[in-house]
Amino acid sequence: MISEKIATLINEQIANEQYAAQYYLSMSAWFSSKDLDGIANYFRVQSKEELMHADKMFDYLNDVGGEIIIGEIAKPPHQFENAIDIFQKALDHERIVTKSIFNIVKNANDEGDFATTSFLQWFINEQVEEEASASQLVTKIKMVSDNPSAVYLFDQELAQRIFVADPTA
Ligand code: FEO
């Protein structure tokens, strides 16, 4: 049986993941409005992944007998300076999520809640990948942003991303 404290942290993280989904959807909408549909697709897929993360936590909390309490989701920003600003904000947000997950792991570890630390290992690995790819995209958008032909190719590259559902989710 999970403690109330860890259940609360996971409930908060479910809301954080859902907020991230909304945030990325807002970023996707910005790129759609600029007719950069490939980049918009990238953020749309990212949004779906965040909902999948929330679902995984929802199911885990249910499995361990924690009370699921759906939290309020804040309205994400919808105005951005430019494409670089968006990619940088996406990276900043992933770093916040990583810290938040580490905090749950630390608390679970302190309690000897090894079921939760084991469950969250997947998220720790996921955050390493998410930060690495977000950081790489910041570098790339900075490289191409002044060159319309390069932006066109970058948009084509990100159009290739597809959502792959996690079989364990
Ligand atoms: Fe669910 Fe992008 O972290």
Side-chain angles (χ1 to χ4, degrees):
M1 177 82 189
I2 194 164
S3 74
E4 208 175 308
K5 182 179 178 184
I6 303 299
T8 299
L9 289 172
I10 294 177
N11 272 315
E12 287 170 359
Q13 191 59 32
I14 290 172
N16 287 342
E17 302 286 346
Q18 290 171 332
Y19 174 77
Q22 295 286 81
Y23 199 10
Y24 289 136
L25 203 52
S26 185
M27 292 174 178
S28 176
W30 189 91
F31 283 108
S32 285
S33 76
K34 310 287 182 213
D35 290 332
L36 288 166
D37 292 336
I39 307 177
N41 168 69
Y42 173 86
F43 281 106
R44 194 81 181 261
V45 170
Q46 192 65 22
S47 175
K48 287 179 185 168
E49 281 204 355
E50 300 304 346
L51 291 177
M52 184 264 286
H53 295 167
D55 280 354
K56 273 177 94 82
M57 291 189 182
F58 182 106
D59 290 340
Y60 173 72
L61 203 45
N62 198 32
D63 285 348
V64 294
E67 184 184 7
I68 297 167
I69 301 170
I70 300 302
E72 201 170 349
I73 314 294
K75 182 180 172 183
H78 66 280
Q79 287 177 324
F80 303 98
E81 272 176 49
N82 51 38
I84 294 174
D85 177 44
I86 293 185
F87 279 99
Q88 185 61 54
K89 283 189 163 82
L91 173 59
D92 293 345
H93 193 72
E94 286 304 329
R95 289 177 172 155
I96 290 169
V97 170
T98 300
K99 275 191 189 158
S100 180
I101 292 196
F102 282 8
N103 180 52
I104 309 173
V105 173
K106 185 179 181 310
N107 278 278
N109 209 40
D110 289 348
E111 283 190 15
D113 179 353
F114 301 119
T116 297
T117 55
S118 171
F119 166 70
L120 289 176
Q121 192 61 51
W122 184 92
F123 285 89
I124 292 172
N125 297 338
E126 176 75 2
Q127 285 310 119
V128 171
E129 278 179 35
E130 298 250 282
E131 282 196 32
S133 68
S135 177
Q136 194 183 58
L137 289 172
V138 169
T139 305
K140 283 189 180 181
I141 191 70
K142 283 180 178 169
M143 268 193 276
V144 303
S145 63
D146 288 338
N147 180 337
S149 303
V151 170
Y152 178 81
L153 290 175
F154 184 61
D155 186 62
Q156 296 285 300
E157 180 189 332
L158 295 195
Q160 304 305 314
R161 188 179 186 196
I162 51 166
F163 175 69
V164 180
D166 184 309
T168 64

